[in-house]
Amino acid sequence: MSSKTKIVVLRMKEIIYTAIFVGLGILLITLFLVMFRPKKDTVPTSGDSVDYVPGVYSSAITLNSQDINVEVTVDSKKITSVTLVPLSEAVTTMYPLMQPAMDNLSPQILKNQSTKNISYPSESRYTSGVLLKAVDQALTKAQKTD
């Protein structure tokens, strides 16, 4: 009889260990789902209706000691223009990708009415990222607060 008892105890241990590992697996999967789920964006996508306070809003980018302003002009419902002001000779000489990157981004921003889903060449990804961040900051200033 004692040999049967040992077999039952060993099988019970296996069931307990399996249940613990299954519980840990479920906990790990739940943790991954919570950590890596998409976050809600603060800047609206093109499908969302956004109300702006009409005007010209700017956001400054400081490169070394030079300030470059990204100006965004909006009316009550849409973005009407995105430009770099003032772009001096020193800036265009030291940072030759600034103006071409903005020339590439501006029509896409006006078409999408957002900075989401914008494509840009890989050689100007950092410049484009800085410019898009500045446009986002200007759009945040332009949004109506309820």
Side-chain angles (χ1 to χ4, degrees):
M1 279 208 145
S2 65
S3 65
K4 288 183 180 179
T5 306
K6 289 180 183 177
I7 293 173
V8 171
V9 170
L10 288 176
R11 291 185 185 252
M12 187 58 89
K13 282 183 182 178
E14 290 175 1
I15 292 172
I16 291 172
Y17 291 148
T18 303
I20 289 172
F21 286 127
V22 167
L24 288 175
I26 291 172
L27 180 67
L28 186 64
I29 290 171
T30 305
L31 181 66
F32 281 137
L33 290 175
V34 168
M35 287 178 59
F36 297 115
R37 72 172 185 251
K39 306 273 188 281
K40 292 187 177 184
D41 295 330
T42 57
V43 176
T45 58
S46 61
D48 296 337
S49 176
V50 180
D51 290 331
Y52 296 115
V53 176
V56 178
Y57 297 90
S58 66
S59 178
I61 301 171
T62 303
L63 302 171
N64 289 335
S65 62
Q66 296 285 333
D67 280 341
I68 301 169
N69 289 326
V70 176
E71 287 189 351
V72 179
T73 306
V74 295
D75 63 13
S76 62
K77 294 288 182 188
K78 65 179 184 171
I79 304 167
T80 56
S81 74
V82 179
T83 57
L84 287 175
V85 178
L87 205 56
S88 66
E89 276 188 46
V91 172
T92 56
T93 303
M94 294 297 293
Y95 306 101
L97 291 178
M98 291 299 276
Q99 189 61 48
M102 184 55 84
D103 292 341
N104 180 24
L105 296 175
S106 189
Q108 294 181 60
I109 293 170
L110 295 178
K111 180 182 175 194
N112 292 347
Q113 291 297 306
S114 168
T115 57
K116 302 297 177 202
N117 301 323
I118 302 293
S119 62
Y120 43 83
S122 63
E123 59 268 2
S124 67
R125 66 179 175 254
Y126 299 115
T127 304
S128 298
V130 169
L131 292 172
L132 287 173
K133 186 176 178 183
V135 171
D136 280 338
Q137 290 173 351
L139 287 174
T140 302
K141 292 177 188 177
Q143 290 179 359
K144 281 187 179 179
T145 56
D146 292 329

